[in-house]
């Protein structure tokens, strides 16, 4: 009972601390990113997206950007980098899994990757990479997630 109370207190502290961050609402607007995953994302990135520069560097840090593994006549092989932040990879992977249930845009992207011949894990990692790029752009611009792009009238 005492451990359950301690866990509840820690969860409340984490949630309160997360809500104080200036990008908390932007992060939570992305389907599949709740308070806990958002807090893990901020803890992994340090809360400063400017330190990475581009979304490609952030994806490399997360282990979602494959590196070339070419040698001699072999070309086109790719592998996960040896050094990456496993916590950030876990966060984006879990958010991608949750988004399959609640976000039709993510489900359509996943289905498209599966129809291209990718396996479940490959398609899920591709979705995690896409979501990381979207999240980086949302934080950079300070905008909330929109399920469909805004419709603009022809001028």
């Amino acid at each position: 009972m005492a451990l359950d109370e301690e866990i509840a207190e820690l969860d409340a502290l984490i949630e309160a601390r997360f809500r104080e961050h200036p990008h908390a609402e932007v992060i939570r607007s992305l389907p599949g990113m709740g308070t806990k995953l958002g807090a893990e994302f901020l803890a992994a990135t340090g809360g400063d997206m400017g330190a990475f520069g581009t979304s490609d560097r952030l994806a490399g840090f997360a282990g979602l950007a494959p590196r070339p593994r070419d040698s001699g006549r072999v070309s086109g092989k790719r592998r996960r980098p040896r050094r990456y932040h496993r916590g950030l990879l876990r966060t984006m992977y879990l958010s991608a899994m949750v988004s399959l249930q609640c976000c039709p845009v993510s489900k359509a992207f996943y289905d498209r990757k599966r129809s291209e011949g990718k396996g479940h894990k490959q398609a899920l990692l591709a979705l995690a990479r896409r979501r990381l790029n979207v999240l980086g752009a949302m934080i950079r611009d300070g905008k909330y997630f929109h399920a469909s792009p805004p419709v603009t009238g022809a001028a």
Side-chain angles (χ1 to χ4, degrees):
M1 301 276 286
L3 286 176
D4 288 338
E5 290 174 12
E6 243 182 274
I7 290 171
E9 285 178 23
L10 285 175
D11 284 344
L13 287 172
I14 289 170
E15 185 172 345
R17 183 74 175 189
F18 174 69
R19 291 191 186 278
E20 291 174 3
H21 196 275
H23 300 303
E25 291 305 314
V26 173
I27 293 170
R28 287 205 50 197
S29 71
L30 186 66
M33 287 294 280
T35 304
K36 290 183 183 177
L37 287 179
E40 286 183 39
F41 175 79
L42 288 177
T45 59
D48 181 24
M49 301 306 291
F52 296 103
T54 64
S55 60
D56 292 335
R57 287 187 183 158
L58 179 60
F61 179 72
L64 291 170
R67 304 256 177 177
R69 186 180 180 189
D70 299 341
S71 175
R73 294 183 187 163
V74 177
S75 65
K77 288 219 171 224
R78 303 210 175 259
R79 65 172 174 80
R80 180 178 292 143
R82 291 183 182 164
R83 299 174 70 187
Y84 60 95
H85 196 284
R86 283 158 177 76
L88 185 56
L89 177 64
R90 176 188 168 276
T91 300
M92 296 313 299
Y93 188 85
L94 288 176
S95 74
M97 287 196 59
V98 171
S99 73
L100 287 178
Q101 304 299 319
C102 63
C103 181
V105 176
S106 295
K107 180 69 174 157
F109 181 84
Y110 173 82
D111 290 340
R112 189 176 84 226
K113 290 297 176 183
R114 287 301 302 250
S115 68
E116 290 173 3
K118 295 193 183 302
H120 168 71
K121 190 172 180 180
Q122 289 176 322
L124 204 56
L125 287 172
L127 177 60
R129 167 69 188 262
R130 167 66 64 92
R131 291 174 54 81
L132 187 63
N133 289 346
V134 168
L135 186 58
M138 287 169 43
I139 291 172
R140 180 192 65 221
D141 298 340
K143 296 190 177 184
Y144 295 103
F145 180 80
H146 297 287
S148 61
V151 178
T152 57

